């Protein structure tokens, strides 16, 4: 049974102390979710880990589901900042002369590092995505933003004569994103084989580059 609080969702805290407490609850929630999983986590576990009164939790969040959604939303912000399909990492400057293959290489490695930081939560996210519709919608939104950035990069490269104009930018971006995402899920979450990460990343780079018909990065 889901943990629920009374009344409507509380307003964001207005005081500095309240903001710190809310952040403490979010940090505690992530740690508890990673340790127990979503289904076995209770509001009482989160409150105890954050060292706040049980009732105080509901000052900031109406339910366990609500705090999970915010934790996941922040995680996706971190993950999708590093576009793992062809395109620029918007968190880092992109020299105009940087070739597309080099951008793909840098983006894939940025995404790998973000995935590695969040691997435990990604395992929980896979669990929750099977039954929570609100979470599924948030996940789709973040994925669409990331795919959109990659598709726009492919379109730019098509206009520059670097990529085959006959391929569909959006579908190509979706397919390449799925390949990289699932590969890293198997690698980092399922523990498929973690002995040669550089070899995996080099292979993902090469598949991206060849799918687009780009000149390989030296």
């Amino acid at each position: 049974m889901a943990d629920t609080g009374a009344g409507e969702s509380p307003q964001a805290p207005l005081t500095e102390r309240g903001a710190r407490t809310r952040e403490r609850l979010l940090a505690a929630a992530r740690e508890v979710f990673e340790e127990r999983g979503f289904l076995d986590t209770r509001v009482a576990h989160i409150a105890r880990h954050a060292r706040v009164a049980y009732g105080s939790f509901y000052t900031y969040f109406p339910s366990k589901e609500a705090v999970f959604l915010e934790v996941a939303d922040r995680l996706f912000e971190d993950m999708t900042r590093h576009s793992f399909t062809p395109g620029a990492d918007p968190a880092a400057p992109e020299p105009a002369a940087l070739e597309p293959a080099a951008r793909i290489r840098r983006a894939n490695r940025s995404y790998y590092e973000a995935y590695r930081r969040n691997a435990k939560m990604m395992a929980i996210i896979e669990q929750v995505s099977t039954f929570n519709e609100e979470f599924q919608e948030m996940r789709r939104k973040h994925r669409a933003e990331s795919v959109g950035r990659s598709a726009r990069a492919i379109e730019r490269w098509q206009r520059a004569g670097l990529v085959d104009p006959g391929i569909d930018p959006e579908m190509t971006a979706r397919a390449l994103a799925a390949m990289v995402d699932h590969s890293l899920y198997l690698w980092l979450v399922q523990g498929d084989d973690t002995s040669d990460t550089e070899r995996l990343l080099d292979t993902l780079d090469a598949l991206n580059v060849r799918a687009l018909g780009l000149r390989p990065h030296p």
Side-chain angles (χ1 to χ4, degrees):
M1 181 177 294
D3 291 304
T4 56
E8 297 181 355
S9 300
Q11 295 181 347
L14 300 178
T15 67
E16 183 178 345
R17 180 181 178 183
R20 287 198 303 268
T21 301
R22 192 175 191 278
E23 289 299 316
R24 194 160 73 246
L25 281 164
L26 283 164
R30 173 163 179 158
E31 291 176 9
V32 175
F33 286 132
E34 289 179 344
E35 179 183 349
R36 293 176 174 267
F38 179 81
L39 295 176
D40 291 335
T41 293
R42 299 289 180 267
V43 166
H45 299 145
I46 297 171
R48 188 182 310 122
H49 196 68
R51 297 182 179 179
V52 303
Y54 176 82
S56 296
F57 174 93
Y58 293 109
T59 302
Y60 304 98
F61 301 99
S63 64
K64 176 183 78 172
E65 288 76 10
V67 73
F68 181 84
L69 283 170
E70 184 155 347
V71 168
D73 190 52
R74 292 186 178 195
L75 179 147
F76 285 136
E77 287 289 346
D78 180 34
M79 299 287 286
T80 59
R81 210 169 44 231
H82 310 279
S83 185
F84 52 93
T85 47
D89 172 3
E94 287 276 356
L98 195 62
E99 293 187 356
R103 296 189 182 197
I104 290 171
R105 179 181 176 84
R106 184 163 72 178
N108 279 344
R109 279 149 183 74
S110 294
Y111 187 66
Y112 167 79
E113 290 300 329
Y115 210 116
R116 189 165 62 88
R117 286 194 301 273
N118 295 298
K120 287 184 179 180
M121 272 301 296
M122 290 301 291
I124 311 303
I125 281 168
E126 288 301 318
Q127 176 191 45
V128 177
S129 66
T130 63
F131 59 82
N132 187 298
E133 292 184 4
E134 186 178 3
F135 173 75
Q136 291 170 6
E137 181 58 33
M138 181 188 69
R139 193 181 188 193
R140 281 193 291 268
K141 180 197 74 172
H142 282 287
R143 182 169 291 164
E145 290 172 354
S146 179
V147 167
R149 287 197 301 271
S150 297
R152 289 190 293 275
I154 293 173
E155 288 172 346
R156 289 196 301 272
W157 297 342
Q158 287 176 320
R159 289 194 296 271
L162 301 173
V163 169
D164 179 1
I167 67 171
D168 184 301
E170 182 184 355
M171 290 298 107
T172 301
R174 286 182 180 276
L176 294 177
M179 176 186 70
V180 174
D181 196 47
H182 193 62
S183 294
L184 294 185
Y185 172 76
L186 293 175
W187 196 261
L188 294 170
V189 177
Q190 296 294 325
D192 190 28
D193 184 355
T194 57
S195 61
D196 196 348
T197 297
E198 197 61 30
R199 182 182 173 196
L200 170 69
L201 293 176
D202 285 345
T203 300
L204 292 174
D205 294 343
L207 291 172
N208 274 268
V209 167
R210 290 174 185 176
L212 295 169
L214 291 165
R215 185 171 63 182
H217 179 65

PDB file of all heavy atoms in Angstrom, residues 10-22 59-60:
ATOM      1  N   PRO A  10       1.793  19.991  -0.191  1.00  0.00           N
ATOM      2  CA  PRO A  10       2.174  21.190   0.541  1.00  0.00           C
ATOM      3  C   PRO A  10       2.918  22.170  -0.346  1.00  0.00           C
ATOM      4  O   PRO A  10       3.512  21.788  -1.355  1.00  0.00           O
ATOM      5  CB  PRO A  10       3.098  20.639   1.637  1.00  0.00           C
ATOM      6  CG  PRO A  10       3.646  19.367   1.070  1.00  0.00           C
ATOM      7  CD  PRO A  10       2.547  18.799   0.208  1.00  0.00           C
ATOM      8  N   GLN A  11       2.889  23.425   0.038  1.00  0.00           N
ATOM      9  CA  GLN A  11       3.645  24.429  -0.684  1.00  0.00           C
ATOM     10  C   GLN A  11       5.122  24.274  -0.372  1.00  0.00           C
ATOM     11  O   GLN A  11       5.514  23.711   0.643  1.00  0.00           O
ATOM     12  CB  GLN A  11       3.173  25.831  -0.275  1.00  0.00           C
ATOM     13  CG  GLN A  11       1.737  26.134  -0.680  1.00  0.00           C
ATOM     14  CD  GLN A  11       1.333  27.530  -0.277  1.00  0.00           C
ATOM     15  OE1 GLN A  11       2.021  28.177   0.504  1.00  0.00           O
ATOM     16  NE2 GLN A  11       0.220  27.986  -0.806  1.00  0.00           N
ATOM     17  N   ALA A  12       5.966  24.781  -1.278  1.00  0.00           N
ATOM     18  CA  ALA A  12       7.406  24.734  -1.051  1.00  0.00           C
ATOM     19  C   ALA A  12       7.749  25.539   0.202  1.00  0.00           C
ATOM     20  O   ALA A  12       7.123  26.560   0.475  1.00  0.00           O
ATOM     21  CB  ALA A  12       8.132  25.312  -2.267  1.00  0.00           C
ATOM     22  N   PRO A  13       8.725  25.073   0.961  1.00  0.00           N
ATOM     23  CA  PRO A  13       9.096  25.789   2.180  1.00  0.00           C
ATOM     24  C   PRO A  13       9.599  27.193   1.868  1.00  0.00           C
ATOM     25  O   PRO A  13      10.288  27.408   0.878  1.00  0.00           O
ATOM     26  CB  PRO A  13      10.213  24.917   2.772  1.00  0.00           C
ATOM     27  CG  PRO A  13      10.722  24.120   1.617  1.00  0.00           C
ATOM     28  CD  PRO A  13       9.553  23.898   0.722  1.00  0.00           C
ATOM     29  N   LEU A  14       9.257  28.130   2.717  1.00  0.00           N
ATOM     30  CA  LEU A  14       9.611  29.524   2.476  1.00  0.00           C
ATOM     31  C   LEU A  14      10.840  29.962   3.256  1.00  0.00           C
ATOM     32  O   LEU A  14      11.459  30.951   2.916  1.00  0.00           O
ATOM     33  CB  LEU A  14       8.421  30.431   2.850  1.00  0.00           C
ATOM     34  CG  LEU A  14       7.126  30.177   2.066  1.00  0.00           C
ATOM     35  CD1 LEU A  14       6.019  31.109   2.564  1.00  0.00           C
ATOM     36  CD2 LEU A  14       7.344  30.376   0.572  1.00  0.00           C
ATOM     37  N   THR A  15      11.189  29.218   4.319  1.00  0.00           N
ATOM     38  CA  THR A  15      12.317  29.623   5.140  1.00  0.00           C
ATOM     39  C   THR A  15      13.583  28.877   4.726  1.00  0.00           C
ATOM     40  O   THR A  15      13.521  27.797   4.123  1.00  0.00           O
ATOM     41  CB  THR A  15      12.042  29.332   6.627  1.00  0.00           C
ATOM     42  OG1 THR A  15      11.981  27.908   6.814  1.00  0.00           O
ATOM     43  CG2 THR A  15      10.734  29.967   7.072  1.00  0.00           C
ATOM     44  N   GLU A  16      14.716  29.449   5.080  1.00  0.00           N
ATOM     45  CA  GLU A  16      15.997  28.798   4.767  1.00  0.00           C
ATOM     46  C   GLU A  16      16.106  27.471   5.503  1.00  0.00           C
ATOM     47  O   GLU A  16      16.569  26.466   4.940  1.00  0.00           O
ATOM     48  CB  GLU A  16      17.142  29.730   5.165  1.00  0.00           C
ATOM     49  CG  GLU A  16      18.517  29.178   4.806  1.00  0.00           C
ATOM     50  CD  GLU A  16      19.630  30.145   5.157  1.00  0.00           C
ATOM     51  OE1 GLU A  16      19.339  31.334   5.398  1.00  0.00           O
ATOM     52  OE2 GLU A  16      20.797  29.705   5.169  1.00  0.00           O
ATOM     53  N   ARG A  17      15.642  27.449   6.738  1.00  0.00           N
ATOM     54  CA  ARG A  17      15.684  26.208   7.504  1.00  0.00           C
ATOM     55  C   ARG A  17      14.794  25.141   6.861  1.00  0.00           C
ATOM     56  O   ARG A  17      15.167  23.969   6.762  1.00  0.00           O
ATOM     57  CB  ARG A  17      15.227  26.476   8.942  1.00  0.00           C
ATOM     58  CG  ARG A  17      15.225  25.239   9.823  1.00  0.00           C
ATOM     59  CD  ARG A  17      14.753  25.573  11.218  1.00  0.00           C
ATOM     60  NE  ARG A  17      14.697  24.390  12.059  1.00  0.00           N
ATOM     61  CZ  ARG A  17      14.265  24.391  13.297  1.00  0.00           C
ATOM     62  NH1 ARG A  17      13.846  25.525  13.868  1.00  0.00           N
ATOM     63  NH2 ARG A  17      14.244  23.270  14.001  1.00  0.00           N
ATOM     64  N   GLY A  18      13.617  25.548   6.408  1.00  0.00           N
ATOM     65  CA  GLY A  18      12.725  24.611   5.748  1.00  0.00           C
ATOM     66  C   GLY A  18      13.322  24.060   4.467  1.00  0.00           C
ATOM     67  O   GLY A  18      13.174  22.875   4.161  1.00  0.00           O
ATOM     68  N   ALA A  19      13.998  24.928   3.712  1.00  0.00           N
ATOM     69  CA  ALA A  19      14.632  24.478   2.469  1.00  0.00           C
ATOM     70  C   ALA A  19      15.722  23.457   2.766  1.00  0.00           C
ATOM     71  O   ALA A  19      15.867  22.463   2.048  1.00  0.00           O
ATOM     72  CB  ALA A  19      15.214  25.676   1.722  1.00  0.00           C
ATOM     73  N   ARG A  20      16.487  23.680   3.832  1.00  0.00           N
ATOM     74  CA  ARG A  20      17.541  22.722   4.198  1.00  0.00           C
ATOM     75  C   ARG A  20      16.934  21.385   4.612  1.00  0.00           C
ATOM     76  O   ARG A  20      17.443  20.321   4.255  1.00  0.00           O
ATOM     77  CB  ARG A  20      18.399  23.284   5.328  1.00  0.00           C
ATOM     78  CG  ARG A  20      19.338  24.414   4.911  1.00  0.00           C
ATOM     79  CD  ARG A  20      20.436  24.615   5.943  1.00  0.00           C
ATOM     80  NE  ARG A  20      19.884  24.883   7.274  1.00  0.00           N
ATOM     81  CZ  ARG A  20      19.643  26.102   7.763  1.00  0.00           C
ATOM     82  NH1 ARG A  20      19.878  27.176   7.007  1.00  0.00           N
ATOM     83  NH2 ARG A  20      19.164  26.280   8.980  1.00  0.00           N
ATOM     84  N   THR A  21      15.839  21.431   5.355  1.00  0.00           N
ATOM     85  CA  THR A  21      15.185  20.196   5.781  1.00  0.00           C
ATOM     86  C   THR A  21      14.666  19.425   4.575  1.00  0.00           C
ATOM     87  O   THR A  21      14.783  18.199   4.499  1.00  0.00           O
ATOM     88  CB  THR A  21      14.027  20.502   6.756  1.00  0.00           C
ATOM     89  OG1 THR A  21      14.551  21.185   7.895  1.00  0.00           O
ATOM     90  CG2 THR A  21      13.335  19.225   7.198  1.00  0.00           C
ATOM     91  N   ARG A  22      14.104  20.142   3.641  1.00  0.00           N
ATOM     92  CA  ARG A  22      13.565  19.499   2.437  1.00  0.00           C
ATOM     93  C   ARG A  22      14.681  18.823   1.640  1.00  0.00           C
ATOM     94  O   ARG A  22      14.523  17.697   1.148  1.00  0.00           O
ATOM     95  CB  ARG A  22      12.842  20.530   1.577  1.00  0.00           C
ATOM     96  CG  ARG A  22      12.004  19.936   0.455  1.00  0.00           C
ATOM     97  CD  ARG A  22      11.226  21.040  -0.263  1.00  0.00           C
ATOM     98  NE  ARG A  22      10.231  20.482  -1.164  1.00  0.00           N
ATOM     99  CZ  ARG A  22      10.499  20.043  -2.394  1.00  0.00           C
ATOM    100  NH1 ARG A  22      11.743  20.118  -2.861  1.00  0.00           N
ATOM    101  NH2 ARG A  22       9.534  19.537  -3.150  1.00  0.00           N
ATOM    102  N   THR A  59       5.109  17.832   5.730  1.00  0.00           N
ATOM    103  CA  THR A  59       5.188  19.279   5.535  1.00  0.00           C
ATOM    104  C   THR A  59       5.759  19.594   4.162  1.00  0.00           C
ATOM    105  O   THR A  59       5.458  20.635   3.573  1.00  0.00           O
ATOM    106  CB  THR A  59       6.068  19.916   6.620  1.00  0.00           C
ATOM    107  OG1 THR A  59       5.537  19.610   7.915  1.00  0.00           O
ATOM    108  CG2 THR A  59       6.161  21.428   6.456  1.00  0.00           C
ATOM    109  N   TYR A  60       6.572  18.679   3.649  1.00  0.00           N
ATOM    110  CA  TYR A  60       7.308  18.928   2.408  1.00  0.00           C
ATOM    111  C   TYR A  60       6.868  18.046   1.236  1.00  0.00           C
ATOM    112  O   TYR A  60       6.996  18.458   0.074  1.00  0.00           O
ATOM    113  CB  TYR A  60       8.808  18.720   2.663  1.00  0.00           C
ATOM    114  CG  TYR A  60       9.317  19.580   3.795  1.00  0.00           C
ATOM    115  CD1 TYR A  60       9.458  19.051   5.079  1.00  0.00           C
ATOM    116  CD2 TYR A  60       9.595  20.932   3.597  1.00  0.00           C
ATOM    117  CE1 TYR A  60       9.899  19.845   6.126  1.00  0.00           C
ATOM    118  CE2 TYR A  60      10.028  21.731   4.644  1.00  0.00           C
ATOM    119  CZ  TYR A  60      10.169  21.186   5.914  1.00  0.00           C
ATOM    120  OH  TYR A  60      10.586  21.983   6.947  1.00  0.00           O
TER     121      TYR A  60
END
